[in-house]
Amino acid sequence: MNDILSATGAEVSIIPVMQGEGPMKIDESQLPDSLPILALRNAVLFPGTVYPITIGREKSIRLIEDAERNNTFIGAVPQNDLSVEDPRKDDLYGYGTVAKIVKTLEMPDGTITAILQGYHRFEVESIYDYEPYMIGRVRYLHDIVPENDVQTRMVAESLKEKASQIIRSSSFVPREAASALKGIENFEFLVNFIATTIEVENFIDKVELLQYGELSVRAMKLLSVLDTQVELQKIKHEINQKVKTEIDQQQREYYLNNQLKTIQEELGMDDVEEFAQLRARAEEKAWPPAVQEIFEKEISKLERYNPSSPDYSIQYNYIQFMLDLPWGEMSADNLDLKNAQKVLDEDHFGLDKVKERIIEYLAVLKLKGDMKSPILCLYGPPGVGKTSLGKSIARALGRKYVRIALGGVHDESEIRGHRKTYVGALPGRILNGINRAGTSNPVIVLDEVDKLSSDFKGDPSSALLEALDPEQNTAFHDNYLDIDYDLSNVLFITTANNIESIQPALKDRMEMINVSGYLAEEKLEIAKNHLIPKQLTEHGLAKGQLRFAKDTLSKIIEEYTRESGVRGLEKQIAKAARVTAKKIALGEKYPKTLKPDHLKEYLGLPTNSHDIQKGNEAPGVVTGLAWTAMGGEILFIESSVSKGKGVLSMTGNLGDVMKESAQIAYQYIKAHPEMAGLTYEEFMEKDIHVHVPEGAVPKDGPSAGITMVTSMVSAYRGQKVKSGIAMTGEMTLRGRVLPVGGIKEKILAAKRSGIHTIIISQENRKDVEDIKEIYIKGLTFVYVDTIQDVIDMAF
């Protein structure tokens, strides 16, 4: 038997050496009352067995040398706390075995191997000396051997059977031990031999066997320990078999990759330094413990991959994205309210409601120190500065600016990202934008949110619900990152032209702010302070090389543009700048100040002459006001009467709602022919045709109801309406006038067209009162409740 028992603290196997058939007996009178105590770690010495033990501690070596020299007995006692280097009585188990040294061997590593022969059990009563080693008083114990009856023989057979099973499955016990078991007839030696031979999971189970003096009890306890060990070995065997059958290509690659990694390390080609750099970056991150745990898991997975494997690059990119994301890294907000107001005014003229809302947010942030960012939706016609306002807000706050264009996006993964297992997987646009910004509190502009679409790949507007909900976006889940990310510090600003196409649930999560069109006076200021300097710079012109007279700008606004915003105005200014740049490049003479007379040469003929009110040119022509995504427009309704059978016909590319409005107007006049100056019989002898010009342009909506009934009455009467009048409002069959929307845009369209009187519903009075005085200056509003009020005012 070449395995050894360690008394140095190292856990090694313990194999007994048999000396004959039975345990060696000794007369108790030959044993001393006190014994030198040798503390054994991870070992138990039983009577009748011989052990080779490696001795490493100085006191133990001294004890062995003295005992061998004087040929004296020693006491081998198991140690309770294996970590104690210099044990005391409390660190020892209460029972041990008297032993004598058979032989000692010096090992190459400086330790001593002593072969001990066990004789008799004892109980430690006291330890009275610890130098140069422990010496204690002991009380010897007697073993009670049962009779060799049937029960004893059956227990012995069971012990041999269980022990043989364990020996066959163990890699620590030599196969010869199983053969030796078969030849043992002595019951006492069989129990002690098996107790010392078999390795068990719990060392204390072995130690406790020493305390039992009745061999039958010790045997039954040992049998219980063996049963437990057999079951544990079965479980281990099942696990090993299961693991073995699950070895597939991936596991094969894992082992090969480990070998490759070892070779790379030997050749100096390893990525250890790179992994260390990744971990160093991770230590600098202020991310939650759960994220740190996921990072460690993912980087450990990366270390197992072969660098040439496709999975390696996918995993590497994912870890890089985790590290690049700003986790709790926020830029400091500039809480100077006066400076914020100044920046907003510098960049944009007007837009007071939006500016006021941002200043309110900053004020609360300054007082409270922490606040969930609002979700603002700026809606209005194109060219009024919604998108550029987001950039201005970021500059005022001192935050990073990110713009995400949503027009035409129809895949949910564009918002939430793709799962990283897919080929070419990428994070969603929101987390990608935050990554570009480098801070977790940027201003993110979600441009054209009303132009999102959906198909079989999902609904991106639904994916935005989580991101734009202040109650949920503290744990936004991107499919690529697959970790909750806090978006509550992000200031989201969305823009839209037509809020009717925005999903209701999404609209409910946003604070809607109307950014309406500009007056001609406002456009003039925007052109002078923003558009002209910008275009001169972009076209390489000095400040003095091109100027615009005030009358020139007014003419461009009135005759060359037809819009609520200033995008078309900027294009006309850019065109004038290009013509000037060409003249300078060719060395031609040119006017340094553009006057109205020069516009025909620079911009061509006016394009907006048709957009002038012309409602009093003939009976049946009435001016209405309409709202479109491009802003407010004037709308002409024309009616013509002819002899017939009381038939109504409509043209002008009208939508269903507008056709219904015409039908309601016709039926109302039919029920009240006196309003048109006719009897019922006269009314039924006349056909009426209603036309809305610009037939190629689709038109729809209920707001032309009162305009249509006025146009029909004018045609039936043959009487023109007053000049300078426009109207908007929905009507009912009972002749009530209902309110409509888009009042501000319609007012701007009326002012552009030279209208001075507007007829609207009484219930729209609150909308007019909410508009700044500058927008309604020079206009007269007539508030009506019924169609009769409209007719009385119009004629």
Side-chain angles (χ1 to χ4, degrees):
M1 305 290 177
N2 52 12
D3 290 79
I4 57 175
L5 167 67
S6 172
T8 65
E11 295 185 11
V12 297
S13 300
I14 307 153
I15 304 302
V17 179
M18 282 198 309
Q19 293 279 333
E21 167 62 20
M24 297 180 65
K25 299 293 183 180
I26 191 169
D27 192 343
E28 187 176 327
S29 61
Q30 298 178 19
L31 299 175
D33 294 335
S34 297
L35 291 172
I37 302 299
L38 177 65
L40 302 180
R41 283 194 287 198
N42 246 1
V44 186
L45 180 64
F46 282 86
T49 55
V50 178
Y51 296 84
I53 303 172
T54 299
I55 310 297
R57 290 185 284 203
E58 292 183 5
K59 286 187 177 183
S60 299
I61 293 174
R62 179 77 177 274
L63 185 153
I64 293 297
E65 290 175 345
D66 289 353
E68 183 181 27
R69 184 171 54 254
N70 300 323
N71 193 25
T72 56
F73 291 101
I74 65 172
V77 182
Q79 185 174 322
N80 282 335
D81 191 347
L82 305 183
S83 62
V84 178
E85 283 295 323
D86 187 13
R88 302 293 175 176
K89 184 177 186 302
D90 293 340
D91 300 318
L92 300 177
Y93 189 67
Y95 297 88
T97 303
V98 178
K100 223 172 189 184
I101 299 169
V102 178
K103 189 175 183 180
T104 59
L105 301 170
E106 290 189 8
M107 308 304 290
D109 60 357
T111 58
I112 294 175
T113 296
I115 300 175
L116 301 183
Q117 169 70 60
Y119 288 99
H120 208 88
R121 291 186 312 115
F122 64 80
E123 182 179 3
V124 180
E125 291 187 332
S126 65
I127 302 293
Y128 61 83
D129 203 348
Y130 290 96
E131 296 296 337
Y133 38 75
M134 285 188 290
I135 301 176
R137 290 187 178 84
V138 299
R139 180 170 63 86
Y140 296 102
L141 305 173
H142 299 281
D143 287 347
I144 301 173
V145 181
E147 295 181 3
N148 188 20
D149 54 13
V150 175
Q151 182 176 352
T152 302
R153 289 195 295 273
M154 294 304 295
V155 171
E157 288 300 320
S158 297
L159 286 172
K160 288 181 181 182
E161 181 183 349
K162 296 290 183 183
S164 297
Q165 288 182 35
I166 295 172
I167 290 171
R168 284 194 297 269
S169 302
S170 174
S171 58
F172 299 102
V173 184
R175 300 298 181 195
E176 293 82 355
S179 302
L181 276 175
K182 296 178 181 178
I184 298 176
E185 297 295 337
N186 185 286
F187 184 73
E188 180 181 0
F189 181 68
L190 176 68
V191 173
N192 291 340
F193 176 75
I194 294 175
T196 53
T197 301
I198 303 304
E199 286 294 319
V200 296
E201 294 292 327
N202 190 359
F203 169 67
I204 298 301
D205 291 342
K206 243 187 195 186
V207 174
E208 289 179 347
L209 293 175
L210 269 180
Q211 67 181 331
Y212 300 112
E214 291 189 29
L215 260 297
S216 58
V217 175
R218 190 187 306 171
M220 295 305 293
K221 293 290 183 182
L222 177 59
L223 194 58
S224 175
V225 171
L226 295 181
D227 281 334
T228 302
Q229 192 64 24
V230 168
E231 291 302 317
L232 288 174
Q233 285 191 339
K234 283 182 180 178
I235 294 171
K236 285 182 181 180
H237 180 71
E238 289 174 1
I239 293 173
N240 290 336
Q241 284 297 111
K242 186 177 180 181
V243 171
K244 187 175 180 180
T245 56
E246 289 179 355
I247 292 180
D248 55 10
Q249 183 66 22
Q250 183 178 354
Q251 290 172 307
R252 179 173 174 272
E253 288 180 2
Y254 167 71
Y255 294 123
L256 293 176
N257 286 336
N258 272 349
Q259 294 179 23
L260 180 62
K261 184 176 177 182
T262 304
I263 295 170
Q264 288 173 336
E265 290 175 356
E266 292 295 326
L267 296 175
M269 298 167 55
D270 59 287
D271 295 325
V272 174
E273 184 177 348
E274 186 171 4
F275 294 140
Q277 291 174 355
L278 293 175
R279 283 195 165 90
R281 287 181 61 191
E283 290 176 2
E284 298 173 0
K285 289 288 179 183
W287 49 25
V291 180
Q292 175 67 34
E293 185 178 336
I294 293 172
F295 172 80
E296 286 296 333
K297 177 183 174 184
E298 296 297 332
I299 199 170
S300 298
K301 192 185 298 182
L302 178 65
E303 288 174 332
R304 296 196 298 269
Y305 284 152
N306 182 353
S308 61
S309 165
D311 291 337
Y312 183 89
S313 60
I314 293 173
Q315 188 71 7
Y316 182 82
N317 291 337
Y318 173 73
I319 289 174
Q320 284 285 12
F321 182 72
M322 277 188 72
L323 293 171
D324 290 342
L325 269 180
W327 297 86
E329 301 165 26
M330 294 186 283
S331 57
D333 287 331
N334 184 351
L335 301 178
D336 186 347
L337 303 187
K338 291 182 179 179
N339 177 69
Q341 186 71 56
K342 179 184 175 184
V343 171
L344 293 172
D345 289 339
E346 282 177 359
D347 293 347
H348 291 81
F349 186 85
L351 307 179
D352 294 332
K353 278 192 175 180
V354 188
K355 295 176 182 177
E356 183 182 350
R357 183 64 183 86
I358 297 302
I359 297 301
E360 288 172 357
Y361 167 67
L362 273 180
V364 175
L365 199 61
K366 186 175 183 178
L367 294 176
K368 187 171 180 285
D370 179 31
M371 179 188 179
K372 287 183 178 179
S373 296
I375 314 293
L376 306 180
C377 178
L378 310 180
Y379 69 95
V384 295
K386 300 184 298 295
T387 303
S388 60
L389 189 62
K391 196 169 187 178
S392 180
I393 291 171
R395 191 163 79 91
L397 293 173
R399 294 189 181 187
K400 294 295 181 71
Y401 168 75
V402 177
R403 175 180 169 272
I404 299 174
L406 297 179
V409 172
H410 56 85
D411 188 352
E412 177 197 351
S413 298
E414 293 283 339
I415 306 298
R416 285 188 177 278
H418 307 77
R419 297 199 179 278
K420 69 175 185 287
T421 51
Y422 296 155
V423 176
L426 290 171
R429 293 196 182 191
I430 292 177
L431 282 195
N432 208 15
I434 291 175
N435 187 28
R436 292 199 312 271
T439 63
S440 57
N441 66 333
V443 174
I444 294 183
V445 173
L446 300 174
D447 211 7
E448 311 291 359
V449 73
D450 58 324
K451 312 228 173 13
L452 287 168
S453 58
S454 60
D455 60 9
F456 65 94
K457 295 181 180 178
D459 184 3
S461 61
S462 298
L464 278 176
L465 294 177
E466 181 185 9
L468 299 184
D469 189 342
E471 299 301 322
Q472 298 182 37
N473 65 8
T474 53
F476 175 72
H477 193 86
D478 185 277
N479 291 331
Y480 180 81
L481 182 63
D482 205 21
I483 304 171
D484 290 342
Y485 190 87
D486 187 1
L487 296 180
S488 62
N489 296 306
V490 177
L491 176 55
F492 284 104
I493 297 175
T494 65
T495 70
N497 297 130
N498 182 14
I499 60 174
E500 299 302 322
S501 60
I502 301 176
Q503 188 186 106
L506 182 60
K507 190 191 303 182
D508 183 60
R509 282 162 168 76
M510 301 186 291
E511 188 175 334
M512 311 301 290
I513 299 178
N514 184 15
V515 184
S516 56
Y518 297 108
L519 293 171
E521 294 84 356
E522 290 178 316
K523 292 181 180 180
L524 198 63
E525 292 297 321
I526 293 170
K528 287 196 301 184
N529 298 328
H530 300 280
L531 304 183
I532 293 174
K534 176 184 175 184
Q535 292 304 320
L536 291 180
T537 302
E538 289 187 359
H539 290 84
L541 299 175
K543 189 175 182 181
Q545 289 180 304
L546 178 62
R547 292 187 176 92
F548 290 82
K550 185 176 181 180
D551 293 344
T552 307
L553 286 175
S554 296
K555 188 171 182 178
I556 294 174
I557 291 168
E558 292 171 3
E559 299 184 13
Y560 288 87
T561 63
R562 185 189 181 193
E563 59 178 350
S564 296
V566 292
R567 193 168 286 149
L569 176 58
E570 184 175 16
K571 291 177 183 176
Q572 297 299 331
I573 294 172
K575 187 175 180 180
R578 287 196 301 273
V579 174
T580 302
K582 184 186 76 171
K583 289 180 178 292
I584 293 173
L586 294 174
E588 299 176 1
K589 289 185 179 182
Y590 71 97
K592 291 192 175 181
T593 301
L594 281 186
K595 295 183 178 180
D597 297 341
H598 300 130
L599 291 182
K600 185 175 181 181
E601 177 189 354
Y602 277 68
L603 304 181
L605 295 173
T607 59
N608 201 25
S609 59
H610 67 283
D611 196 14
I612 298 173
Q613 196 271 343
K614 43 189 176 182
N616 60 347
E617 61 184 17
V621 180
V622 181
T623 305
L625 297 174
W627 179 92
T628 70
M630 301 295 291
E633 297 282 354
I634 64 170
L635 192 70
F636 303 109
I637 307 291
E638 300 176 352
S639 297
S640 175
V641 175
S642 60
K643 288 186 177 181
K645 297 181 180 180
V647 176
L648 168 68
S649 56
M650 295 168 281
T651 56
N653 201 352
L654 308 183
D656 291 339
V657 177
M658 206 165 186
K659 287 179 181 178
E660 289 175 358
S661 295
Q663 288 283 357
I664 292 171
Y666 177 76
Q667 291 296 333
Y668 184 80
I669 297 172
K670 185 177 180 180
H672 305 85
E674 66 278 1
M675 180 181 289
L678 302 171
T679 64
Y680 181 77
E681 290 74 17
E682 292 173 331
F683 180 84
M684 294 305 295
E685 293 174 357
K686 297 178 183 292
D687 289 347
I688 189 165
H689 183 113
V690 178
H691 175 68
V692 183
E694 297 185 48
V697 180
K699 309 167 192 74
D700 205 1
S703 63
I706 65 173
T707 312
M708 285 186 168
V709 75
T710 305
S711 174
M712 291 181 188
V713 169
S714 174
Y716 280 124
R717 286 185 180 183
Q719 181 184 357
K720 297 186 291 186
V721 299
K722 295 177 184 177
S723 63
I725 287 182
M727 58 189 70
T728 181
E730 183 180 352
M731 69 169 290
T732 69
L733 270 176
R734 295 179 299 145
R736 298 287 300 173
V737 179
L738 302 180
V740 291
I743 295 298
K744 185 177 180 182
E745 287 78 7
K746 292 175 180 179
I747 290 173
L748 293 178
K751 290 198 74 172
R752 286 199 303 267
S753 304
I755 290 167
H756 55 74
T757 303
I758 300 176
I759 300 175
I760 58 175
S761 170
Q762 181 71 35
E763 295 181 46
N764 279 125
R765 182 190 291 270
K766 62 182 183 301
D767 299 309
V768 176
E769 291 174 350
D770 192 43
I771 298 172
K772 291 176 68 173
E773 183 65 30
I774 187 174
Y775 291 99
I776 59 178
K777 186 178 180 182
L779 291 175
T780 300
F781 292 91
V782 178
Y783 302 103
V784 296
D785 289 313
T786 64
I787 292 297
Q788 190 60 53
D789 296 337
V790 176
I791 300 301
D792 292 344
M793 180 60 205
F795 294 97

